[in-house]
Amino acid sequence: MILELETAVENYIRLLRAKGYYVTFCFRRDTGFCALPAKYNIHYHPYCLALKTSPEAWDQCIHSQKKVYERLKNGAFFGMCHAGVEEFVFPIPGGAQQDKIIGFVSVSGFKTRETEAKKRVRRVAEEYLISKETLFGLYQKLSPQPPEFASLRAEIEPLCFLLSYLSALTESDGADNSERSLYSRLLTYVNRHFADGITLRDISKNCFCSLSAVSHVFVKHQGVPVMKYIQEKRLTEAKTLLLDSDFSVKTISEMTGFSDSNYFIACFKKAYGLPPAAFRKKSKKSV
């Protein structure tokens, strides 16, 4: 049942993303729930990807979630994050009476209050030493026309309840909570540091477990070895940046954790059939 429900959730998220929605979800750390691929847990539009090249900026994003949960006590909302991006946020209910908020679903990537947003863009660029020109350029690519709130709610609330049910099933399936907690730590560390040239030993050291535990737990829950996952994540993020930004191939290779641009080009061609520059050119022609 859990596997079928996970598949249903993934299919629904893919459907929403195909409609152009930047949909992600997040669970409270104390729920221990982390069953679905991490690609659904992180904002993936180019502005946020560029911002999160700074570990300190990423820390601030995580810290800001406390304010999100406070606002969610009054229900779903549309608001602006600390970095100037506007988003819809919907609560994921939990608990026996569905009276707790165990996470949220976000639909992000909008700009309606540009004067205030640009102040925040300038501030984060200065605070985290990120190019202002880069961030302002990516900010301009955000959508100025968010969907109507009620119609979006009708599409997102079913996802919230699916995730709530999936969380409840996962918690009650008898799985080892300590193992699930380790997997959550592994996934969090890998997703935050995939662009930093991390090794298996780095992951083991920072997640306080053995090399064999990293390998076993990650494959069991994610389905692929951790280093293969990191490589695929780097290529996926690079693909997004090629399509939605004007960064050079060399800059994108550096942003996504490839220390050598020639190696990046070779890996990208193997994965997508074309070198990065040719892939970008072909994609723009087809638009």
Side-chain angles (χ1 to χ4, degrees):
M1 180 62 179
I2 290 178
L3 181 59
E4 289 82 356
L5 191 54
E6 287 179 356
T7 301
V9 169
E10 288 199 70
N11 287 339
Y12 192 57
I13 292 175
R14 289 194 189 103
L15 177 65
L16 292 170
R17 289 186 171 189
K19 296 181 69 173
Y21 295 144
Y22 283 104
V23 180
T24 57
F25 67 80
C26 177
F27 278 87
R28 286 186 183 274
R29 293 184 179 182
D30 54 9
T31 66
F33 176 76
C34 201
L36 290 169
K39 60 186 175 184
Y40 303 126
N41 303 131
I42 301 172
H43 288 159
Y44 58 97
H45 50 74
Y47 179 86
C48 283
L49 292 180
L51 187 68
K52 288 173 181 177
T53 56
S54 163
E56 293 79 12
W58 199 326
D59 284 340
Q60 182 57 43
C61 289
I62 294 173
H63 180 73
S64 297
Q65 289 179 4
K66 294 179 181 179
K67 295 180 179 179
V68 171
Y69 282 111
E70 283 299 314
R71 288 196 64 179
L72 284 173
K73 291 178 180 179
N74 296 317
F77 65 88
F78 179 72
M80 182 183 295
C81 78
H82 76 102
V85 179
E86 290 168 86
E87 61 185 346
F88 295 89
V89 186
F90 298 85
I92 299 173
Q97 307 298 323
Q98 294 286 286
D99 56 351
K100 298 180 181 179
I101 298 173
I102 62 172
F104 59 84
V105 173
S106 168
V107 182
S108 183
F110 304 104
K111 56 171 185 176
T112 65
R113 298 159 50 203
E114 291 201 37
T115 300
E116 172 60 26
K118 287 180 178 178
K119 293 178 183 177
R120 300 190 186 194
V121 175
R122 186 175 296 106
R123 178 180 56 78
V124 296
E126 293 173 351
E127 184 172 353
Y128 302 116
L129 304 178
I130 304 172
S131 165
K132 290 182 184 178
E133 182 180 358
T134 295
L135 285 187
F136 276 116
L138 294 174
Y139 173 81
Q140 291 303 326
K141 295 179 181 291
L142 300 178
S143 172
Q145 297 180 317
E148 198 271 330
F149 192 92
S151 63
L152 184 64
R153 182 196 292 269
E155 295 184 282
I156 299 301
E157 283 193 338
L159 175 60
C160 294
F161 284 105
L162 279 172
L163 288 166
S164 176
Y165 184 40
L166 180 56
S167 176
L169 285 180
T170 305
E171 289 295 328
S172 63
D173 72 349
D176 185 344
N177 285 328
S178 63
E179 184 178 281
R180 187 182 297 119
S181 177
L182 173 57
Y183 173 60
S184 182
R185 294 201 310 275
L186 292 172
L187 205 53
T188 298
Y189 180 80
V190 167
N191 284 325
R192 291 190 63 186
H193 297 281
F194 73 92
D196 296 338
I198 55 175
T199 65
L200 193 62
R201 190 168 297 280
D202 293 326
I203 299 168
S204 170
K205 178 181 178 181
N206 284 279
C207 294
F208 307 103
C209 61
S210 67
L211 294 172
S212 60
V214 173
S215 299
H216 170 73
V217 171
F218 204 89
V219 170
K220 179 178 177 180
H221 289 269
Q222 193 66 31
V224 296
V226 63
M227 298 313 294
K228 181 178 180 181
Y229 172 86
I230 290 172
Q231 183 81 332
E232 290 175 349
K233 182 168 182 61
R234 287 170 176 167
L235 290 169
T236 300
E237 303 294 356
K239 178 183 175 183
T240 299
L241 290 169
L242 282 166
L243 295 176
D244 297 334
S245 78
D246 298 321
F247 292 132
S248 69
V249 170
K250 185 176 186 300
T251 297
I252 290 174
S253 72
E254 294 170 350
M255 289 176 66
T256 52
F258 289 92
S259 57
D260 180 87
S261 59
N262 290 325
Y263 177 63
F264 164 61
I265 292 170
C267 291
F268 192 93
K269 183 178 180 180
K270 182 178 180 180
Y272 298 108
L274 289 171
F279 179 87
R280 171 184 269 169
K281 185 176 181 180
K282 181 180 179 180
S283 299
K284 289 185 176 181
K285 280 185 178 181
S286 63
V287 175

